Amino acid sequence: MLINWHDPDHVYLVCGKTDLRKGIDGLAMVIAENYGLELYDNSLFLFCGSRNDRFKGLLWDGEGFILLYKRFENGHLSWPRHSSEAKELSARQLDWLLKGLNPLPVRRIKAAQPGTFYWNTSV
């Protein structure tokens, strides 16, 4: 059976690192306990471990859960590691993720304004 990544009504990217040794029950518990999202609402949940060349997906198909596992042979994902939240992705953002691009906006560091630096001269 082939999975169309765009069939689910909702696609959630679970930011940060997830232990990919977890199976269906473990990943479902991560969603239920940490994010309070509806598991049975035609949603696809995407998880990444410490290696950026593979990820898992959890999908309810109406009869049971499907556990997806994808590994890239040439390249890697740009997975957001800066937070521990689940972000809903649009179809476009999902395409970006699968092409190795960061699907979420990049946080930029604000440029310092002149006169805002304070040097500690008491050494």
Side-chain angles (χ1 to χ4, degrees), residues 16-108:
K17 293 181 185 177
T18 304
D19 183 357
L20 290 189
R21 295 175 294 179
K22 294 180 187 284
I24 290 173
D25 296 333
L27 294 174
M29 290 298 286
V30 167
I31 295 300
E33 291 179 356
N34 298 321
Y35 304 105
L37 297 169
E38 182 57 47
L39 286 165
Y40 309 100
D41 191 23
N42 194 24
S43 297
L44 171 63
F45 299 93
L46 303 175
F47 306 87
C48 188
S50 57
R51 298 181 64 176
N52 285 352
D53 66 341
R54 61 198 69 197
F55 70 96
K56 280 188 175 182
L58 184 65
L59 174 67
W60 175 260
D61 73 350
E63 297 176 0
F65 283 105
I66 298 173
L67 184 63
L68 306 165
Y69 184 80
K70 182 165 178 92
R71 184 181 71 194
F72 292 95
E73 294 299 323
N74 297 320
H76 64 277
L77 298 161
S78 181
W79 203 271
R81 304 282 188 190
H82 61 273
S83 65
S84 57
E85 56 189 331
K87 299 272 191 176
E88 187 166 4
L89 298 181
S90 67
R92 179 184 231 179
Q93 288 173 310
L94 178 59
D95 288 338
W96 289 344
L97 176 70
L98 295 175
K99 290 177 182 173
L101 303 172
N102 190 343
L104 301 177
V106 177
R107 291 185 180 170
R108 301 207 180 268

